Amino acid sequence: MKAIVVHEFGAPEVMRLEDVPVPEPQGTEVLIRVRAVGVNPVETYLRSGNYPSVPALPYTPGKDAAGVVESAGNGVTKWKAGDRVYTANSVSGTYAEYTLVDERDLGKLPENVSFEEGAGIWTPYATSYRALFQKLNVTKRETVLIHGASGGVGIAAVQWSKNAALTVIGTASSKQGQELAREQGADIIFDHSAEGYLNEIKEFAPGGVNAIVEMLANVNLAKDFDVLAMRGRICVVGNRGSLDFNPRLLMGKDATVTGMALYNSTYDERDEIHAAVFDGLSHGYLKPIVSRSMPLVQAPQAHHEIIESKALGKIVLIP
Ligand code: NAP
């Protein structure tokens, strides 16, 4: 089969399309014929080698994909050949024609969801669900700021928030990103690259926002307190550096700052997320937005674009 293989850490171009053997499922592993792969920023951090824990070389990147069950190990009880699924992890990497996944790390892909859309499910929807409902514990009629609403996680967070009857404030820096977040349910959108946008948020929500899903904490965490309500909560989802921070900001507003990494979630938390995702996709209030779809061989270009371009939903690779 064809698969992207990384032999050395470095620039996107270290990812090469190669011929490798199709892996064989053992025990509780399931072999998936991958039809579409979801690209996430973390795969660029890992590929560069600049991340707290990096994979052993050589490796095939990727955790998110959608496809069809090809075969299953003799310990598999939940899935059979032909089932349409999305992946929530991968043993062998998803940037490939086939991938091995433990049966607990698969979700059922509803018939009304295409494989391309399915590739953009797990990381964005699970991350945003966990931030909103398992960390920030948002409740009806609260106001939430999705600080970075145009990307994979942000769009998913907007859709969850809208369905939960929250007032949704989003931010994006391009016109198309702003338009997309608005179409997906944001009540109002501001431009996080414009001077004074936090003042505009304060005008819109004079009492402050109750909860913030933060996509770029090293840039925004201190500023978030300008718009946070008394007893407000912030969940750090994305971060690309460090900052100078005065903890007194927390005291002044009785605030809570929490962080999360999806890979820390328990299987109980994940089962709750899979059930919520299935409900949302089936009923149509969740709808993954694919902005760009490209052949697997263009994985290097996908990595350039996800870091260097303005966000607009998901980038998907087709093996
Ligand atoms: P993405 O699709 O590349 O989107 C990035 C988002 O960040 C876009 O909405 C972008 O907006 C926004 N952004 C850029 N500059 C910003 C600023 N100054 N303030 C606020 N937002 C800004 O990435 P993603 O998949 O949505 O992931 C978002 C972040 O969360 C990434 O850092 C990723 O590594 C992280 N993440 C963490 C977890 C976890 O488990 N904790 C899981 C998934 C992702 P514009 O392009 O419109 O400027």
Side-chain angles (χ1 to χ4, degrees), residues 39-42 45 123-124 127 130 147-155 171-174 177-178 191-193 197 214-216 219-220 223 236-240 260-263 305-307 309-314:
V39 178
N40 291 294
V42 68
Y45 318 152
T123 298
T127 300
R130 192 158 184 254
H147 215 164
S150 49
V153 178
I155 292 292
T171 71
S173 66
S174 71
Q178 290 165 14
D191 177 353
H192 50 236
S193 67
Y197 77 101
E214 183 49 66
M215 305 301 171
L216 200 56
V219 171
N220 295 327
K223 296 189 290 183
V236 174
V237 165
N239 183 63
R240 292 181 181 168
M260 63 133 284
L262 186 56
Y263 55 71
E305 287 193 16
I306 199 167
I307 294 299
S309 307
K310 304 287 187 188
L312 203 62
K314 289 296 299 179

Side-chain angles (χ1 to χ4, degrees), residues 155 158-159 176-186 189 289:
I155 292 292
V158 167
Q159 294 177 357
Q176 294 103 309
Q178 290 165 14
E179 194 49 41
L180 178 62
R182 206 175 281 115
E183 281 165 14
Q184 297 311 308
I189 289 284
I289 303 293

Side-chain angles (χ1 to χ4, degrees), residues 20-319:
V20 302
V22 176
E24 282 205 11
Q26 310 288 333
T28 58
E29 290 170 351
V30 180
L31 182 68
I32 309 298
R33 171 67 174 97
V34 176
R35 299 288 301 277
V37 182
V39 178
N40 291 294
V42 68
E43 289 133 31
T44 71
Y45 318 152
L46 293 169
R47 183 219 69 237
S48 73
N50 184 17
Y51 200 67
S53 63
V54 289
L57 295 169
Y59 77 98
T60 293
K63 303 284 184 204
D64 287 4
V68 177
V69 172
E70 178 82 10
S71 60
N74 54 16
V76 172
T77 57
K78 287 171 63 180
W79 307 100
K80 60 179 189 323
D83 287 346
R84 298 175 88 247
V85 291
Y86 66 87
T87 64
N89 204 345
S90 169
V91 176
S92 58
T94 56
Y95 286 32
E97 288 179 321
Y98 293 87
T99 188
L100 274 186
V101 182
D102 190 276
E103 69 166 336
R104 291 174 303 177
D105 293 320
L106 289 171
K108 185 172 156 56
L109 191 66
E111 289 296 333
N112 62 323
V113 181
S114 71
F115 291 117
E116 283 190 335
E117 292 169 330
I121 292 176
W122 180 249
T123 298
Y125 285 92
T127 300
S128 51
Y129 181 96
R130 192 158 184 254
L132 287 163
F133 304 113
Q134 295 178 337
K135 293 290 180 177
L136 294 168
N137 300 313
V138 292
T139 55
K140 240 181 191 171
R141 286 185 287 280
E142 283 195 311
T143 299
V144 64
L145 168 62
I146 314 297
H147 215 164
S150 49
V153 178
I155 292 292
V158 167
Q159 294 177 357
W160 285 122
S161 300
K162 194 66 200 165
N163 185 62
L166 305 176
T167 298
V168 188
I169 303 173
T171 71
S173 66
S174 71
K175 283 278 171 266
Q176 294 103 309
Q178 290 165 14
E179 194 49 41
L180 178 62
R182 206 175 281 115
E183 281 165 14
Q184 297 311 308
D187 293 288
I188 191 157
I189 289 284
F190 297 98
D191 177 353
H192 50 236
S193 67
E195 207 162 313
Y197 77 101
L198 292 169
N199 291 332
E200 295 173 27
I201 294 178
K202 275 195 277 192
E203 277 167 30
F204 177 80
V209 302
N210 305 107
I212 300 178
V213 179
E214 183 49 66
M215 305 301 171
L216 200 56
N218 55 305
V219 171
N220 295 327
L221 189 59
K223 296 189 290 183
D224 283 341
F225 286 84
D226 284 356
V227 298
L228 195 68
M230 187 62 74
R231 281 176 279 283
R233 297 96 68 200
I234 301 171
C235 184
V236 174
V237 165
N239 183 63
R240 292 181 181 168
S242 49
L243 81 165
D244 187 16
F245 180 78
N246 183 344
R248 184 162 290 281
L249 290 170
L250 284 152
M251 295 158 63
K253 288 195 167 162
D254 261 33
T256 304
V257 176
T258 181
M260 63 133 284
L262 186 56
Y263 55 71
N264 292 329
S265 54
T266 64
Y267 273 104
D268 281 350
E269 289 170 331
R270 286 167 171 244
D271 289 346
E272 177 187 324
I273 297 170
H274 283 300
V277 162
F278 189 80
D279 184 77
L281 293 171
S282 309
H283 288 96
Y285 62 84
L286 300 182
K287 180 101 179 130
I289 303 293
V290 178
S291 63
R292 280 154 289 181
S293 186
M294 45 184 96
L296 186 58
V297 68
Q298 288 179 14
Q301 186 186 331
H303 276 207
H304 278 294
E305 287 193 16
I306 199 167
I307 294 299
E308 295 157 20
S309 307
K310 304 287 187 188
L312 203 62
K314 289 296 299 179
I315 299 178
V316 165
L317 295 169
I318 307 296

